[in-house]
Amino acid sequence: MLNDITAACWFTYLLLFLTEIGLSPRDAAIAMLAGQIADGFATVFAGELIDRFGHFKVWHGAGSILVAISFSSVFGGCLPCKILASCSSVVETVSYSTSAAIFNVGWAATQVSHMSMVNCISLNSSSRVVMTSCRNAFTMVANLSLYAVALVVFSSIKATTHADIENQYRWIAYTSIFIGCCFVGIFHLGTKEPRLKICVHGTSNARISWAYWFKKVLYYQVGLVYMLTRLVQNVSQAYLAFYVMDDLQMAKSAKALVPAIIYMSSFFVSVTMQEMSWTGHRLKAYYSAGGILWVFCGAGILLLPRNMSTFMYVISVLIGIANALMTVTGVSMQSILVGSDLNGCAFVYGSLSFLDKISCGLAVFALQSFQSSSPKTEEALSTEYISVTRYGLGLLPAVCSLAGVAITYTMKLQTQDSKSLVEPLLE
């Protein structure tokens, strides 16, 4: 919950916050890219260390503490600017980039340890999908919590100066941290540490080398599908607020209401998916359904005129359904890749997350490089003009979804036979 609520704030409001306080779109993208690069490398190192030493909850707890401390500084204003009595763009960019990098290191440790725990609780593929669905449902709860807080803050605190804007986002960040930390406490008090010392099917407890995974074709297929899925979600989330405010010129409350509708829709789909029995064929079918649905949503976003902005609420429902289908099945494919090779599962999640983080950071940086500091009113009013925001929210996710569906079609997913599960791995 802490990771998810801060990540939602990161992708939805970071670029908006930084540009509203005066940074150029390119400098704002540099700050996000710094965080994504730090996150990418941290996931690989965290995965390797977790595979070597275990103790998922220790890594989760340490990462959560770092997230809680550092995230407040991401939206807490530029401290070096106050110390140096300078408000230059270079100092601001370096300050926010550093805070973003520290935050993402803690985020990576928490994420990899939590995702790896799923495979060490059960070998049964359907049970793993159920846990992934439950995990995704609480991701939706976290996002909804954020947007509820944002809706209250944006409605009650009027922003007329840079200080007011910083105050708005500071309240959102602090409240998000508090909510997340409450759930971290519940998690650590109520969850036992999975043990990797139990041998599965007579295999040894030695750590699995990286080369073992690099020789598997499925590793690259799952890695590409996961990267494309995260690109769809993260890039679209980063540009959603811009699209609602700048392109459609909807009410300010819409930058919290539209994302909330998306996550409400995702939540209900994720809960429904917990009640199903899963096979490799069914995972591929549901992922493909979500990807194709995103293609239609992307086309709608790309062509939606401003005078029909209310249709964005309908598109939001469909985006939520597509996101849930793609996320749950995409992450579950990683569980099938891991199978019973539990002593290398953290590396799998860490290395695949590396691709996700770096690609998302580079995609946002590339899009922001083409974004003008102040949109031209003449162009915005033109029916022929398609903004960078529309490309980021509509075209890129649609193309990535289509590519993910194509790669999924080539996969050979063999799910673990439920009869092979002789005992639960959670002691």
Side-chain angles (χ1 to χ4, degrees):
M1 282 288 288
L2 177 62
N3 257 28
D4 288 335
I5 198 169
T6 52
C9 192
W10 167 268
F11 282 110
T12 306
Y13 295 128
L14 180 68
L15 293 177
L16 191 64
F17 165 68
L18 294 178
T19 52
E20 282 186 353
I21 63 172
L23 263 68
S24 68
R26 187 181 180 86
D27 288 341
I30 288 173
M32 176 170 275
L33 180 61
Q36 293 298 107
I37 291 175
D39 195 349
F41 284 102
T43 53
V44 176
F45 287 117
E48 174 66 14
L49 293 173
I50 290 170
D51 280 336
R52 284 179 180 272
F53 304 110
H55 303 294
F56 297 110
K57 290 181 67 177
V58 173
W59 286 95
H60 185 278
S64 296
I65 292 171
L66 189 57
V67 166
I69 294 173
S70 60
F71 189 66
S72 59
S73 63
V74 174
F75 290 94
C78 178
L79 183 60
C81 296
K82 298 175 183 177
I83 296 174
L84 300 175
S86 172
C87 291
S88 71
S89 60
V90 175
V91 175
E92 285 186 313
T93 304
V94 171
S95 173
Y96 286 113
S97 297
T98 304
S99 298
I102 295 171
F103 158 66
N104 277 279
V105 169
W107 197 95
T110 307
Q111 183 79 349
V112 174
S113 59
H114 194 268
M115 293 181 74
S116 301
M117 286 181 72
V118 168
N119 296 299
C120 298
I121 291 174
S122 176
L123 285 177
N124 185 278
S125 56
S126 288
S127 297
R128 287 176 171 180
V129 177
V130 167
M131 284 186 282
T132 302
S133 299
C134 181
R135 189 178 184 277
N136 193 59
F138 273 92
T139 298
M140 303 308 114
V141 172
N143 281 269
L144 287 171
S145 300
L146 169 72
Y147 297 127
V149 170
L151 187 61
V152 172
V153 169
F154 289 138
S155 300
S156 57
I157 301 177
K158 303 302 178 184
T160 54
T161 64
H162 285 180
D164 294 333
I165 294 171
E166 288 183 359
N167 191 40
Q168 279 185 330
Y169 287 99
R170 191 178 297 118
W171 271 106
I172 293 172
Y174 290 164
T175 307
S176 300
I177 292 169
F178 175 76
I179 294 171
C181 286
C182 290
F183 281 90
V184 169
I186 295 170
F187 172 77
H188 280 271
L189 291 173
T191 308
K192 295 180 180 179
E193 174 77 27
R195 304 297 180 183
L196 289 175
K197 296 180 180 179
I198 299 175
C199 292
V200 180
H201 306 308
T203 58
S204 66
N205 292 318
R207 184 181 63 84
I208 297 173
S209 68
W210 295 10
Y212 172 80
W213 301 109
F214 292 153
K215 293 176 183 177
K216 287 192 169 189
V217 175
L218 187 60
Y219 174 83
Y220 299 100
Q221 291 174 319
V222 171
L224 285 172
V225 167
Y226 182 70
M227 179 191 75
L228 292 167
T229 302
R230 298 303 297 174
L231 269 172
V232 169
Q233 293 190 333
N234 293 340
V235 175
S236 63
Q237 191 173 12
Y239 283 96
L240 183 61
F242 286 105
Y243 179 70
V244 167
M245 299 302 297
D246 297 338
D247 287 68
L248 300 183
Q249 293 192 348
M250 299 173 73
K252 286 193 174 183
S253 58
K255 64 183 175 181
L257 187 57
V258 170
I261 292 172
I262 291 175
Y263 288 104
M264 284 178 66
S265 178
S266 290
F267 173 79
F268 289 119
V269 173
S270 297
V271 171
T272 303
M273 294 175 76
Q274 294 182 44
E275 305 301 321
M276 302 176 65
S277 177
W278 290 92
T279 63
H281 178 74
R282 183 167 286 179
L283 283 175
K284 291 169 64 175
Y286 275 72
Y287 183 90
S288 299
I292 293 170
L293 186 57
W294 236 117
V295 171
F296 287 109
C297 292
I301 289 167
L302 203 61
L303 303 174
L304 185 66
R306 185 178 299 167
N307 58 3
M308 298 178 66
S309 60
T310 51
F311 278 95
M312 188 59 200
Y313 294 112
V314 177
I315 295 175
S316 299
V317 174
L318 300 178
I319 289 175
I321 295 171
N323 281 349
L325 291 174
M326 294 178 69
T327 302
V328 173
T329 54
V331 174
S332 298
M333 289 174 190
Q334 297 182 51
S335 294
I336 291 179
L337 169 64
V338 170
S340 58
D341 299 322
L342 304 180
N343 294 320
C345 64
F347 169 75
V348 170
Y349 285 108
S351 59
L352 298 189
S353 292
F354 172 82
L355 294 174
D356 147 37
K357 306 305 176 187
I358 300 300
S359 61
C360 287
L362 291 175
V364 170
F365 180 78
L367 288 167
Q368 286 295 98
S369 297
F370 293 101
Q371 184 80 285
S372 61
S373 299
S374 54
K376 297 179 182 179
T377 307
E378 308 83 48
E379 289 181 331
L381 292 174
S382 172
T383 54
E384 298 179 357
Y385 174 71
I386 299 179
S387 66
V388 172
T389 302
R390 287 184 185 262
Y391 284 119
L393 182 61
L395 183 62
L396 181 62
V399 171
C400 290
S401 298
L402 198 58
V405 171
I407 295 170
T408 301
Y409 180 77
T410 66
M411 285 184 181
K412 294 181 180 179
L413 297 176
Q414 296 179 347
T415 53
Q416 186 81 26
D417 187 358
S418 59
K419 293 181 180 179
S420 65
L421 181 64
V422 291
E423 60 179 339
L425 295 186
L426 183 61
E427 292 182 340

mmCIF file of all heavy atoms in Angstrom, residues 31-55:
data_model
loop_
_atom_site.group_PDB
_atom_site.id
_atom_site.type_symbol
_atom_site.label_atom_id
_atom_site.label_comp_id
_atom_site.label_asym_id
_atom_site.label_seq_id
_atom_site.Cartn_x
_atom_site.Cartn_y
_atom_site.Cartn_z
ATOM 1 N N ALA A 31 14.197 14.910 -13.720
ATOM 2 C CA ALA A 31 13.982 14.477 -12.334
ATOM 3 C C ALA A 31 13.318 13.100 -12.291
ATOM 4 O O ALA A 31 13.730 12.220 -11.513
ATOM 5 C CB ALA A 31 13.128 15.499 -11.585
ATOM 6 N N MET A 32 12.309 12.902 -13.127
ATOM 7 C CA MET A 32 11.651 11.588 -13.164
ATOM 8 C C MET A 32 12.594 10.518 -13.695
ATOM 9 O O MET A 32 12.637 9.398 -13.175
ATOM 10 C CB MET A 32 10.383 11.643 -14.017
ATOM 11 C CG MET A 32 9.707 10.282 -14.167
ATOM 12 S SD MET A 32 8.066 10.348 -14.910
ATOM 13 C CE MET A 32 7.059 10.693 -13.472
ATOM 14 N N LEU A 33 13.370 10.850 -14.720
ATOM 15 C CA LEU A 33 14.305 9.888 -15.292
ATOM 16 C C LEU A 33 15.360 9.468 -14.274
ATOM 17 O O LEU A 33 15.720 8.281 -14.194
ATOM 18 C CB LEU A 33 14.980 10.474 -16.537
ATOM 19 C CG LEU A 33 16.003 9.584 -17.252
ATOM 20 C CD1 LEU A 33 15.338 8.306 -17.750
ATOM 21 C CD2 LEU A 33 16.647 10.345 -18.413
ATOM 22 N N ALA A 34 15.844 10.422 -13.465
ATOM 23 C CA ALA A 34 16.828 10.100 -12.422
ATOM 24 C C ALA A 34 16.257 9.084 -11.441
ATOM 25 O O ALA A 34 16.933 8.125 -11.049
ATOM 26 C CB ALA A 34 17.245 11.371 -11.683
ATOM 27 N N GLY A 35 14.998 9.282 -11.059
ATOM 28 C CA GLY A 35 14.353 8.345 -10.153
ATOM 29 C C GLY A 35 14.169 6.977 -10.778
ATOM 30 O O GLY A 35 14.402 5.946 -10.139
ATOM 31 N N GLN A 36 13.767 6.944 -12.055
ATOM 32 C CA GLN A 36 13.536 5.671 -12.739
ATOM 33 C C GLN A 36 14.830 4.887 -12.927
ATOM 34 O O GLN A 36 14.853 3.657 -12.780
ATOM 35 C CB GLN A 36 12.882 5.924 -14.096
ATOM 36 C CG GLN A 36 11.461 6.480 -14.024
ATOM 37 C CD GLN A 36 10.493 5.533 -13.336
ATOM 38 O OE1 GLN A 36 10.079 5.760 -12.215
ATOM 39 N NE2 GLN A 36 10.161 4.445 -13.990
ATOM 40 N N ILE A 37 15.932 5.587 -13.242
ATOM 41 C CA ILE A 37 17.224 4.909 -13.406
ATOM 42 C C ILE A 37 17.695 4.334 -12.080
ATOM 43 O O ILE A 37 18.152 3.185 -12.004
ATOM 44 C CB ILE A 37 18.270 5.881 -13.989
ATOM 45 C CG1 ILE A 37 17.923 6.226 -15.440
ATOM 46 C CG2 ILE A 37 19.670 5.285 -13.896
ATOM 47 C CD1 ILE A 37 18.825 7.278 -16.059
ATOM 48 N N ALA A 38 17.574 5.129 -10.999
ATOM 49 C CA ALA A 38 17.956 4.635 -9.669
ATOM 50 C C ALA A 38 17.114 3.420 -9.295
ATOM 51 O O ALA A 38 17.629 2.426 -8.749
ATOM 52 C CB ALA A 38 17.777 5.750 -8.634
ATOM 53 N N ASP A 39 15.827 3.489 -9.588
ATOM 54 C CA ASP A 39 14.910 2.372 -9.305
ATOM 55 C C ASP A 39 15.307 1.135 -10.102
ATOM 56 O O ASP A 39 15.338 0.009 -9.574
ATOM 57 C CB ASP A 39 13.480 2.794 -9.665
ATOM 58 C CG ASP A 39 12.433 1.851 -9.085
ATOM 59 O OD1 ASP A 39 12.810 0.770 -8.590
ATOM 60 O OD2 ASP A 39 11.249 2.196 -9.116
ATOM 61 N N GLY A 40 15.628 1.322 -11.378
ATOM 62 C CA GLY A 40 15.985 0.199 -12.234
ATOM 63 C C GLY A 40 17.189 -0.568 -11.727
ATOM 64 O O GLY A 40 17.167 -1.803 -11.619
ATOM 65 N N PHE A 41 18.271 0.143 -11.400
ATOM 66 C CA PHE A 41 19.472 -0.528 -10.902
ATOM 67 C C PHE A 41 19.260 -1.096 -9.498
ATOM 68 O O PHE A 41 19.779 -2.167 -9.166
ATOM 69 C CB PHE A 41 20.655 0.443 -10.919
ATOM 70 C CG PHE A 41 21.225 0.665 -12.285
ATOM 71 C CD1 PHE A 41 20.924 1.821 -13.001
ATOM 72 C CD2 PHE A 41 22.043 -0.288 -12.881
ATOM 73 C CE1 PHE A 41 21.433 2.023 -14.272
ATOM 74 C CE2 PHE A 41 22.564 -0.097 -14.154
ATOM 75 C CZ PHE A 41 22.261 1.060 -14.859
ATOM 76 N N ALA A 42 18.493 -0.384 -8.676
ATOM 77 C CA ALA A 42 18.242 -0.865 -7.311
ATOM 78 C C ALA A 42 17.446 -2.170 -7.315
ATOM 79 O O ALA A 42 17.659 -3.033 -6.454
ATOM 80 C CB ALA A 42 17.503 0.204 -6.506
ATOM 81 N N THR A 43 16.524 -2.338 -8.266
ATOM 82 C CA THR A 43 15.744 -3.571 -8.313
ATOM 83 C C THR A 43 16.624 -4.788 -8.583
ATOM 84 O O THR A 43 16.428 -5.860 -7.999
ATOM 85 C CB THR A 43 14.643 -3.504 -9.399
ATOM 86 O OG1 THR A 43 15.229 -3.134 -10.647
ATOM 87 C CG2 THR A 43 13.563 -2.515 -9.021
ATOM 88 N N VAL A 44 17.612 -4.625 -9.465
ATOM 89 C CA VAL A 44 18.522 -5.738 -9.775
ATOM 90 C C VAL A 44 19.356 -6.109 -8.554
ATOM 91 O O VAL A 44 19.466 -7.286 -8.187
ATOM 92 C CB VAL A 44 19.440 -5.380 -10.958
ATOM 93 C CG1 VAL A 44 20.444 -6.508 -11.216
ATOM 94 C CG2 VAL A 44 18.615 -5.111 -12.210
ATOM 95 N N PHE A 45 19.946 -5.091 -7.897
ATOM 96 C CA PHE A 45 20.773 -5.360 -6.720
ATOM 97 C C PHE A 45 19.935 -5.912 -5.572
ATOM 98 O O PHE A 45 20.366 -6.834 -4.863
ATOM 99 C CB PHE A 45 21.495 -4.078 -6.287
ATOM 100 C CG PHE A 45 22.611 -3.684 -7.216
ATOM 101 C CD1 PHE A 45 22.551 -2.490 -7.924
ATOM 102 C CD2 PHE A 45 23.714 -4.505 -7.410
ATOM 103 C CE1 PHE A 45 23.567 -2.128 -8.796
ATOM 104 C CE2 PHE A 45 24.742 -4.146 -8.276
ATOM 105 C CZ PHE A 45 24.665 -2.954 -8.972
ATOM 106 N N ALA A 46 18.743 -5.367 -5.379
ATOM 107 C CA ALA A 46 17.866 -5.861 -4.312
ATOM 108 C C ALA A 46 17.484 -7.314 -4.567
ATOM 109 O O ALA A 46 17.491 -8.144 -3.649
ATOM 110 C CB ALA A 46 16.609 -4.991 -4.219
ATOM 111 N N GLY A 47 17.162 -7.642 -5.827
ATOM 112 C CA GLY A 47 16.817 -9.021 -6.160
ATOM 113 C C GLY A 47 17.953 -9.981 -5.892
ATOM 114 O O GLY A 47 17.759 -11.074 -5.327
ATOM 115 N N GLU A 48 19.176 -9.602 -6.259
ATOM 116 C CA GLU A 48 20.347 -10.462 -6.021
ATOM 117 C C GLU A 48 20.593 -10.665 -4.525
ATOM 118 O O GLU A 48 20.844 -11.790 -4.061
ATOM 119 C CB GLU A 48 21.575 -9.829 -6.689
ATOM 120 C CG GLU A 48 22.886 -10.531 -6.418
ATOM 121 C CD GLU A 48 22.962 -11.934 -7.007
ATOM 122 O OE1 GLU A 48 22.102 -12.274 -7.848
ATOM 123 O OE2 GLU A 48 23.871 -12.690 -6.625
ATOM 124 N N LEU A 49 20.515 -9.595 -3.745
ATOM 125 C CA LEU A 49 20.770 -9.695 -2.305
ATOM 126 C C LEU A 49 19.676 -10.479 -1.588
ATOM 127 O O LEU A 49 19.951 -11.237 -0.653
ATOM 128 C CB LEU A 49 20.896 -8.292 -1.704
ATOM 129 C CG LEU A 49 22.131 -7.495 -2.159
ATOM 130 C CD1 LEU A 49 22.070 -6.060 -1.653
ATOM 131 C CD2 LEU A 49 23.416 -8.173 -1.663
ATOM 132 N N ILE A 50 18.433 -10.324 -2.030
ATOM 133 C CA ILE A 50 17.334 -11.079 -1.411
ATOM 134 C C ILE A 50 17.487 -12.567 -1.709
ATOM 135 O O ILE A 50 17.258 -13.420 -0.839
ATOM 136 C CB ILE A 50 15.970 -10.555 -1.910
ATOM 137 C CG1 ILE A 50 15.707 -9.161 -1.349
ATOM 138 C CG2 ILE A 50 14.834 -11.496 -1.501
ATOM 139 C CD1 ILE A 50 14.518 -8.457 -1.974
ATOM 140 N N ASP A 51 17.904 -12.908 -2.929
ATOM 141 C CA ASP A 51 18.139 -14.315 -3.269
ATOM 142 C C ASP A 51 19.281 -14.902 -2.436
ATOM 143 O O ASP A 51 19.264 -16.070 -2.056
ATOM 144 C CB ASP A 51 18.467 -14.460 -4.757
ATOM 145 C CG ASP A 51 17.219 -14.426 -5.634
ATOM 146 O OD1 ASP A 51 16.132 -14.748 -5.119
ATOM 147 O OD2 ASP A 51 17.329 -14.070 -6.819
ATOM 148 N N ARG A 52 20.289 -14.076 -2.153
ATOM 149 C CA ARG A 52 21.434 -14.561 -1.386
ATOM 150 C C ARG A 52 21.108 -14.732 0.099
ATOM 151 O O ARG A 52 21.480 -15.727 0.722
ATOM 152 C CB ARG A 52 22.617 -13.586 -1.518
ATOM 153 C CG ARG A 52 23.350 -13.667 -2.845
ATOM 154 C CD ARG A 52 24.474 -12.654 -2.880
ATOM 155 N NE ARG A 52 25.205 -12.700 -4.133
ATOM 156 C CZ ARG A 52 26.250 -13.489 -4.385
ATOM 157 N NH1 ARG A 52 26.683 -14.310 -3.444
ATOM 158 N NH2 ARG A 52 26.845 -13.446 -5.553
ATOM 159 N N PHE A 53 20.422 -13.748 0.678
ATOM 160 C CA PHE A 53 20.266 -13.717 2.128
ATOM 161 C C PHE A 53 18.836 -13.920 2.621
ATOM 162 O O PHE A 53 18.611 -14.120 3.810
ATOM 163 C CB PHE A 53 20.806 -12.380 2.673
ATOM 164 C CG PHE A 53 22.226 -12.096 2.286
ATOM 165 C CD1 PHE A 53 22.529 -11.088 1.383
ATOM 166 C CD2 PHE A 53 23.260 -12.865 2.801
ATOM 167 C CE1 PHE A 53 23.839 -10.827 1.008
ATOM 168 C CE2 PHE A 53 24.583 -12.606 2.444
ATOM 169 C CZ PHE A 53 24.875 -11.590 1.543
ATOM 170 N N GLY A 54 17.846 -13.862 1.722
ATOM 171 C CA GLY A 54 16.469 -14.060 2.154
ATOM 172 C C GLY A 54 15.947 -12.895 2.988
ATOM 173 O O GLY A 54 16.305 -11.742 2.768
ATOM 174 N N HIS A 55 15.093 -13.215 3.971
ATOM 175 C CA HIS A 55 14.515 -12.214 4.881
ATOM 176 C C HIS A 55 13.713 -11.153 4.127
ATOM 177 O O HIS A 55 14.052 -9.962 4.120
ATOM 178 C CB HIS A 55 15.603 -11.540 5.731
ATOM 179 C CG HIS A 55 16.419 -12.506 6.536
ATOM 180 N ND1 HIS A 55 15.876 -13.255 7.564
ATOM 181 C CD2 HIS A 55 17.726 -12.876 6.452
ATOM 182 C CE1 HIS A 55 16.814 -14.023 8.090
ATOM 183 N NE2 HIS A 55 17.946 -13.828 7.430
#
